[in-house]
């Protein structure tokens, strides 16, 4: 009888161990799926903010809220992505480029512009938003690419600089002297 009790105890221990292993595996899978869903939601929010800039006319409605939405969703995405060094700088450079192009569109608009002229004026903003959306989709599908992020940031910063010089505008401020990093 003692041998039978020992065998039953061993089988019970084995069943409990296998059950615990499976439960832990399922819990880890659920946790990973939950984290993936949160990350996907943040990528979607940034894409939504970008899509709201496609076809947007800053002469009919202020652009500030849409650019603020882009900044807010970008920050949420950056905070979610571990190990994606450089994405924050790139997204900020893109937001600055969007503001610059929005200014260009507003200054190019004239009362009485034809529909064709308005569409032509809006093209730089729509083209920028399409390119940003495409780059975001590419990065999401391929993963972190530090070299690509550096190139994208440099391109956005160069376009901002060129656009400001072309229109005779002062360059945008890059840093706020009143804000210091925590030490």
């Amino acid at each position: 009888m003692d041998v039978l009790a020992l065998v039953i105890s061993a089988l019970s221990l084995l069943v409990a161990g296998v059950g615990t292993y499976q439960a832990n595996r399922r819990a880890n899978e659920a946790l990973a799926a939950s984290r993936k869903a949160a990350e996907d939601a943040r990528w979607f929010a940034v894409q939504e903010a970008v899509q709201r800039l496609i076809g947007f006319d800053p002469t009919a409605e202020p652009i500030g809220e849409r650019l603020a939405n882009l900044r807010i969703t970008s920050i949420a995405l950056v905070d979610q992505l571990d190990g994606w060094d450089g994405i924050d700088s790139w997204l900020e450079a893109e937001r600055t480029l969007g503001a610059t192009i929005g200014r260009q569109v507003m200054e190019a608009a004239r009362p009485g512009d034809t529909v064709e002229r308005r569409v032509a004026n809006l093209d730089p903003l729509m083209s920028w938003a399409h390119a940003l959306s495409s780059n975001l989709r590419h990065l999401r599908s391929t993963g972190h690419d530090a070299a690509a992020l550096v190139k994208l940031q440099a391109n956005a910063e160069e376009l901002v600089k060129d656009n400001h010089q072309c229109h005779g505008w002062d360059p945008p401020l890059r840093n706020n002297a009143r804000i210091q990093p925590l030490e």
Side-chain angles (χ1 to χ4, degrees), residues 5-85:
L6 184 62
V7 169
I8 291 173
S9 294
L11 286 175
S12 296
L13 181 62
L14 181 65
V15 168
V18 169
T20 301
Y21 170 78
Q22 288 179 338
N24 285 338
R25 186 176 52 95
R26 287 182 186 139
N28 287 335
E29 289 171 358
L31 182 59
S34 173
R35 288 183 178 145
K36 176 79 171 116
E39 185 178 308
D40 288 346
R42 296 216 171 49
W43 280 105
F44 177 79
V46 173
Q47 277 291 357
E48 182 180 26
V50 172
Q51 294 303 313
R52 292 186 69 228
L53 288 160
I54 296 173
F56 172 70
D57 184 354
T59 63
E61 179 183 337
I63 194 170
E65 183 177 327
R66 291 179 193 241
L67 290 172
N69 189 35
L70 177 61
R71 184 182 66 247
I72 291 164
T73 58
S74 294
I75 290 169
L77 176 65
V78 166
D79 287 349
Q80 182 75 27
L81 297 175
D82 291 330
W84 279 65
D85 295 335

Side-chain angles (χ1 to χ4, degrees), residues 122-132:
L122 290 173
D123 182 64
L125 186 62
M126 289 189 292
S127 296
W128 163 75
H130 277 291
L132 178 56

Side-chain angles (χ1 to χ4, degrees), residues 140-155:
R140 179 179 180 204
S141 67
T142 61
H144 181 254
D145 184 343
L149 289 170
V150 168
K151 289 178 185 176
L152 288 168
Q153 179 182 346
N155 181 64

